[in-house]
C-alpha cells in the first residue's frame, strides 16, 4: 500500500484477531429462506436437491480453505471448524467470516442448475455468518453434538407436521396444535400407528445431517511405459453419520490432532506408501488368479 498523508485513517480499524490456540467455528445460515424455499418450490419436509446443493457448496469451501478440519450441515445452515492452530488470515474474524460466507454463497449459485435443472433461480440467496471460539476439544465437539441433536429434533417435528398436512388433511394451524406438547416417543407413535412410517428407516441425511471431512483414496496411475501403480490422494467427502458418539472420532483421528510435525509427516507418508504397495500387491494377485482361470 502506497504511503500518503491520508494513511492515518488506518488507525480507526479495529484489531479483530481471534484468541490463539482455540477452535474456530464459522457458522453460516440462510437469510429469509422461508420465502426463498417457497418461491422456488422446495419439497416439504425435506428437499434432497436442496440438501445436496448445500453439501456441494460446503465441499467447495473445504476444498479451498485447507485449515478447515470438519464441517457439519443441516437444513439451511453449515458450520465449519478450523484447526485450533490455524493462522489463516492471521485469525482475523472479519476476514474468515466474510470470505467463507461469500465463497459458500457463490458456490450455491454456481451449482444451482446442477441440482435444480428445471427451476430458474428467481433471486439471489443470502447467508449470514458468525465466528465463535471454543477453548477445548470437548466443547468444540459438544457444539457439533448440539447441531446434530437439533437436526434430529427439527426433522422429527417437520416430518410429523408435514405428514399431518399432506396426508392427514390438516391445516398448518391444526397440525401445530396436534403436535404441541408431544415428546419424541409420541411423534414416533403418531408416524407409525397412523401413517405406517418407521422414523428409524428415514434416510440419515435427513435425520443426522451432513458431515464434510478430508479423506484419502487410492487411484491408478499409469507411467510413460504403461505400467500401472497405486497412488493415494486427498479427497473431500460428505458423510451422513453419527458424530455424537466416540466411534466417529476414533475413526477419524486426523480431525483433532492438528498440524503434523516434520517427523509425523514423514511417518504418514511412509504409512500411505505402505497402503499403496499393499493395494498394488492385491491387484497383482487378483490379476494373476484371473489369468489362471
Amino acid at each position: 500500500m502506497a504511503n500518503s498523508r491520508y494513511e492515518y485513517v488506518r488507525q480507526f480499524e479495529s484489531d479483530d484477531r481471534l484468541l490463539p490456540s482455540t477452535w474456530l467455528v464459522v457458522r453460516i445460515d440462510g437469510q429469509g429462506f422461508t420465502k426463498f424455499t417457497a418461491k422456488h418450490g422446495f419439497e416439504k419436509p425435506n428437499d434432497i436437491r436442496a440438501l445436496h446443493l448445500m453439501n456441494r457448496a460446503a465441499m467447495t469451501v473445504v476444498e479451498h480453505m485447507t485449515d478447515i478440519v470438519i464441517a457439519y450441515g443441516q437444513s439451511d445452515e453449515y458450520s465449519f471448524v478450523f484447526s485450533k492452530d490455524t493462522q489463516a488470515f492471521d485469525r482475523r474474524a472479519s476476514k474468515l467470516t466474510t470470505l467463507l460466507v461469500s465463497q459458500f454463497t457463490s458456490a450455491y449459485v454456481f451449482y444451482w442448475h446442477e441440482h435444480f435443472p428445471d427451476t430458474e433461480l428467481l433471486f439471489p440467496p443470502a447467508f449470514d455468518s458468525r465466528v465463535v471460539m471454543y477453548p477445548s476439544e470437548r466443547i468444540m465437539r459438544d457444539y457439533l453434538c448440539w447441531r446434530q441433536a437439533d437436526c434430529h429434533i427439527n426433522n422429527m417435528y417437520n416430518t410429523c407436521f408435514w405428514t399431518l398436512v399432506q396426508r392427514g388433511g390438516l391445516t398448518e394451524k391444526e397440525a401445530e396444535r396436534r403436535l404441541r406438547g408431544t415428546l419424541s416417543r409420541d411423534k414416533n407413535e403418531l408416524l407409525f400407528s397412523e401413517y405406517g412410517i418407521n422414523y428409524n428407516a428415514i434416510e440419515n441425511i435427513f435425520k443426522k445431517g451432513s458431515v464434510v471431512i478430508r479423506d484419502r483414496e487410492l487411484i491408478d496411475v499409469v507411467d510413460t511405459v504403461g505400467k500401472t501403480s497405486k497412488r493415494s490422494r486427498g479427497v473431500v467427502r460428505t458423510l451422513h453419520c453419527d458424530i455424537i458418539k466416540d466411534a466417529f472420532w476414533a475413526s477419524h483421528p486426523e480431525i483433532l490432532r492438528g498440524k503434523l510435525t516434520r517427523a509425523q509427516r514423514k511417518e504418514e507418508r511412509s504409512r500411505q506408501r505402505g497402503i499403496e504397495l499393499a493395494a498394488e500387491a492385491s491387484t497383482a494377485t487378483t490379476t494373476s488368479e484371473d489369468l489362471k482361470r
Side-chain angles (χ1 to χ4, degrees), residues 6-30:
Y6 305 109
E7 196 171 353
Y8 77 93
V9 298
R10 295 182 63 189
Q11 300 174 55
F12 297 95
E13 296 180 10
S14 60
D15 185 351
D16 63 350
R17 282 175 291 185
L18 300 164
L19 292 174
S21 302
T22 55
W23 297 91
L24 306 181
V25 178
V26 178
R27 186 166 92 232
I28 63 98
D29 280 286

Side-chain angles (χ1 to χ4, degrees), residues 266-286:
K266 183 178 180 180
E267 182 181 342
E268 178 63 16
R269 284 195 296 268
S270 177
R271 188 181 73 84
Q272 290 296 333
R273 186 56 186 148
I275 293 173
E276 292 167 357
L277 292 172
E280 288 176 14
S282 175
T283 301
T285 301
T286 303

Side-chain angles (χ1 to χ4, degrees), residues 1 4 10 34 39 41 59 68 79 104 109 115 126 153 158 164 179 184 209 218 242 244 250 252 254 263 273 292:
M1 185 179 295
S4 75
R10 295 182 63 189
T34 299
K39 289 290 187 180
M59 290 176 70
I68 295 173
S79 298
F104 186 95
V109 173
H115 300 276
I153 292 168
N158 289 334
L164 289 171
L179 294 173
S184 178
L218 289 172
D242 191 322
I244 295 176
H252 302 282
E254 69 282 355
R273 186 56 186 148
K292 289 178 181 178

